[in-house]
Amino acid sequence: MTIKRIDHIAIAVQDLNQSLGFWEHALGLRVHEVRNVPEQAVDIAFLPVGASEVELVNPVTTDSGIAKWMQKRGPGIHHICFEVDDIRATMAELNAKDMELIDREPRTSKDGKLYAFIHPKSAGGVLIELYQLPGLPEALSQ
């Protein structure tokens, strides 16, 4: 298993525009893109920070997964996402270490990323997302 970098930190917010005021005004970060993700019922603002991003995730319905999460916990850090070189091998290694995974198989995003989640029970209460960028795993492409 190779963790390459922190891809993003996702922060659940109640009001995207109000939250952007802090990130842009106080910290000087700039929004690269705001994307509506209908299948998750969220709007996401992407703020690049070096080779990583902060993602502000705003539910657009009261019954979305993020909205339900926020009803229990309030706004704040939702998950940390790590880029890995081979998501299937990483998931197999985590299974072998008795880590609880939310996903049995990686999902595929619209932009071709493979992703899966490690259950917070196995990660000290932190939801962890794993990403593999589109293309072959490094070990197969060399």
Side-chain angles (χ1 to χ4, degrees):
M1 166 174 30
T2 300
I3 303 244
K4 297 171 80 171
R5 67 185 177 98
I6 295 173
D7 184 83
H8 65 269
I9 298 172
I11 300 172
V13 301
Q14 291 180 357
D15 183 312
L16 191 56
N17 289 326
Q18 182 180 11
S19 296
L20 282 172
F22 167 76
W23 293 92
E24 291 184 315
H25 177 71
L27 297 182
L29 299 179
R30 297 290 173 242
V31 173
H32 168 71
E33 176 185 6
V34 176
R35 183 183 313 156
N36 178 264
V37 184
E39 62 272 13
Q40 295 177 18
V42 297
D43 287 332
I44 304 174
F46 299 88
L47 298 103
V49 180
S52 301
E53 291 182 312
V54 171
E55 292 184 3
L56 303 180
V57 184
N58 184 188
V60 296
T61 67
T62 58
D63 62 345
S64 69
I66 291 285
K68 291 175 184 176
W69 183 89
M70 287 177 63
Q71 289 167 5
K72 292 180 185 176
R73 296 170 187 87
I77 294 177
H78 182 261
H79 68 269
I80 299 172
C81 178
F82 295 103
E83 181 187 346
V84 298
D85 58 349
D86 184 336
I87 197 166
R88 286 183 175 81
T90 299
M91 293 172 73
E93 188 173 333
L94 290 167
N95 272 321
K97 293 177 179 176
D98 294 323
M99 299 291 114
E100 184 176 345
L101 302 176
I102 292 173
D103 303 290
R104 292 195 184 278
E105 289 292 323
R107 302 181 228 179
T108 305
S109 67
K110 286 186 178 184
D111 59 0
K113 292 178 185 168
L114 297 177
Y115 67 100
F117 287 91
I118 302 171
H119 198 286
K121 290 179 189 175
S122 292
V126 178
L127 180 62
I128 302 291
E129 183 178 17
L130 303 171
Y131 258 10
Q132 179 184 316
L133 297 179
L136 293 174
E138 283 185 8
L140 298 177
S141 64
Q142 296 178 359

